[in-house]
Amino acid sequence: LEFRRVLFRSEVKVDTASLEKAISDLSAKVDDLSSKFVTNDDGSAGFVQGTAPQVVTESTYGFKFPLPAGVEPTYVGLDGGDASEKAGSLLASSGGVSVLLLWTKPDTPLTPGDSVTSSFEVLKANSGLNFALLSAGKDAFTVDSQAAAYATFSALDDKQQTVGVAVIGGWTCESDGRAYALTVTGTQQESVSQSFFELVNQFGCEA
């Protein structure tokens, strides 16, 4: 099935090669993280429901990101080395929901749409699945008062059966020029959507 690309246009050329390598390096660590999230009675990830454990703020690299108490996220640099305040990735997964946050501080500023598009290319390259665009929006919501873009996709197997969903959001923090892309994936659309908005609602550009 021919997928439909996110409809954001920019003259900026986003090189995703280093991002793709980073995701490949991270994939082996997902299973180790799965036991550290709490799964609710309905099977959704623990941090999205009212019965979730205490949420703490992760601020290692100068921004605020919510995680359940006791969870240690995996950090990797976009070049395969160590993450830094300038660029890196955060990965966590459990209960059928996986979370990937990418950040970078490019010389040429990225639009929120650029961030969504580059993160989608990483997802597509590393999943081995086909994707169909379900919806997309520019300046559709804000993350810590910053304009954000988003796109949602269904993931299809070789038989064109839906096997999962993905929500990707992108934004840039004007305070330090860093661009962010958050990808949340899973098999249940409701859990994925709730997880996505819980995370962006508690994100902070500065720690």
Side-chain angles (χ1 to χ4, degrees):
L1 180 66
E2 182 180 357
F3 80 97
R4 292 171 287 170
R5 182 177 296 275
V6 187
L7 299 179
F8 295 116
R9 303 299 184 188
S10 172
E11 295 180 357
V12 176
K13 301 298 184 182
V14 180
D15 182 5
T16 63
S18 61
L19 300 183
E20 293 170 7
K21 183 180 184 303
I23 304 306
S24 296
D25 293 341
L26 287 170
S27 61
K29 302 177 182 180
V30 173
D31 291 340
D32 292 336
L33 290 168
S34 62
S35 62
K36 298 179 182 179
F37 272 68
V38 174
T39 302
N40 295 314
D41 293 339
D42 63 359
S44 60
F47 55 83
V48 304
Q49 300 294 333
T51 57
Q54 178 185 2
V55 174
V56 297
T57 300
E58 171 59 38
S59 57
T60 302
Y61 293 103
F63 56 84
K64 294 188 293 186
F65 194 74
L67 288 171
V71 169
E72 295 293 335
T74 295
Y75 289 104
V76 174
L78 299 186
D79 58 359
D82 295 331
S84 68
E85 289 195 1
K86 183 175 181 180
S89 62
L90 176 158
L91 177 70
S93 178
S94 184
V97 175
S98 294
V99 175
L100 173 67
L101 178 70
L102 304 174
W103 69 93
T104 185
K105 190 173 182 179
D107 294 332
T108 302
L110 298 178
T111 68
D114 292 329
S115 296
V116 171
T117 301
S118 61
S119 192
F120 172 68
E121 294 295 341
V122 172
L123 175 65
K124 182 165 66 83
N126 289 277
S127 66
L129 296 170
N130 300 311
F131 289 89
L133 178 65
L134 298 176
S135 62
K138 181 180 180 181
D139 299 334
F141 63 103
T142 61
V143 179
D144 195 16
S145 301
Q146 311 301 302
Y150 81 96
T152 62
F153 303 89
S154 60
L156 308 173
D157 62 17
D158 292 338
K159 297 181 180 179
Q160 300 185 14
Q161 299 297 311
T162 299
V163 295
V165 293
V167 180
I168 303 176
W171 63 94
T172 294
C173 291
E174 294 183 0
S175 58
D176 59 13
R178 286 190 291 192
Y180 296 86
L182 175 65
T183 301
V184 181
T185 60
T187 58
Q188 301 297 322
Q189 185 170 359
E190 182 177 0
S191 294
V192 169
S193 296
Q194 288 179 338
S195 298
F196 177 84
F197 283 106
E198 182 73 14
L199 292 168
V200 296
N201 286 340
Q202 298 187 58
F203 178 89
C205 287
E206 297 180 5

